[in-house]
Amino acid sequence: MHVLDDLADFSDRAQGLLSRAGRRAPSDPARTPTDFLNVRDRAGRVVPAPAELVVRREGFEARYGGLRYEVRRSALIGRERFDVSRRWDFSLDEEIWADERGWFFSWTGERVSSPVRFLIHTDGRVGVSDGGPFIEVADSVPHLIEGHAVMDMVSSWDPWPGSLETWVPAQLGAAMAEHVDGLAPVAEASGRYDRWHLSEGVAVRIFWSWTSQGPRTRGVQMWTCGEEGRRQLESAVGKR
């Protein structure tokens, strides 16, 4: 069943985002089902699409295919606040590759000029590639959507200096974020390479850069809500 017809597995926050902003584009009638495809394995041989690829790729199409929504986000760069909306498009692309853990395939992803291609692995992970190997960015598609829901929620809060783009992370605030009291992890929106922590007045996102060029670096984005949130974050400055 398509996600817009069955939101029960998502948090109230994500259900709100999908109910408000989600829509479904018609399926491409010319798309060739995965089980009719021939693909190249790691050795370069042309083989029929394996069962694990068929199940994951067609499952993605059935559950998320054609999903569109916009995520509101804010950032403070220098002294200037930027408020933007980014459209996400859950449409399959044609590329398919194999790696040591299975197979992965491309999808449209974020509709923005980007140095990366968006990917889904047959083990469930969401990733990108900048021309190199699969780079994990979220544990699963639901984790990705839940993270978008938190980002959308805090877009109206007051951003602190940080990065607007995930592939160009800002280190500013990393030490401060570790000393903020009262934050609770948002488990449904967090994984190994993208983590959210929230209180009533502070939001912290810690993520790892989307690059295969050298070690991945940590980036931090932070927001506050109201004077209490600002005081909470400012108090962390003295604990560094």
Side-chain angles (χ1 to χ4, degrees), residues 58-78:
E58 293 303 312
F60 176 88
E61 172 65 18
R63 181 66 171 160
Y64 304 105
L67 175 64
R68 309 278 196 279
Y69 58 74
E70 290 190 352
V71 180
R72 298 170 296 191
R73 57 193 305 177
S74 61
L76 192 67
I77 302 176

Side-chain angles (χ1 to χ4, degrees), residues 12-25:
D12 290 345
R13 186 185 301 112
Q15 288 187 33
L17 171 66
L18 293 173
S19 297
R20 175 184 58 80
R23 60 191 186 280
R24 183 181 186 182

Side-chain angles (χ1 to χ4, degrees), residues 80-99:
E80 187 173 358
R81 177 184 176 122
F82 287 82
D83 291 282
V84 299
S85 292
R86 294 289 166 76
R87 181 158 65 94
W88 283 77
D89 181 341
F90 289 69
S91 296
L92 284 174
D93 285 339
E94 296 300 320
E95 288 80 11
I96 295 171
W97 302 269
D99 70 3

Side-chain angles (χ1 to χ4, degrees), residues 25-58:
S27 299
D28 180 2
R31 187 183 77 86
T32 303
T34 312
D35 45 331
F36 288 97
L37 296 177
N38 290 319
V39 295
R40 290 191 180 276
D41 64 13
R42 292 184 66 200
R45 297 170 299 191
V46 177
V47 298
E52 63 181 299
L53 176 61
V54 172
V55 169
R56 179 65 69 176
R57 193 165 183 264
E58 293 303 312

Side-chain angles (χ1 to χ4, degrees), residues 96-109:
I96 295 171
W97 302 269
D99 70 3
E100 67 279 0
R101 290 183 62 168
W103 297 81
F104 54 95
F105 53 90
S106 62
W107 59 294
T108 303

Side-chain angles (χ1 to χ4, degrees), residues 5 68 72 86 92 112 122 212-213 230 238-239:
D5 299 321
R68 309 278 196 279
R72 298 170 296 191
R86 294 289 166 76
L92 284 174
V112 65
T122 49
S212 62
Q213 305 302 312
R230 177 172 291 275
K239 300 177 183 178

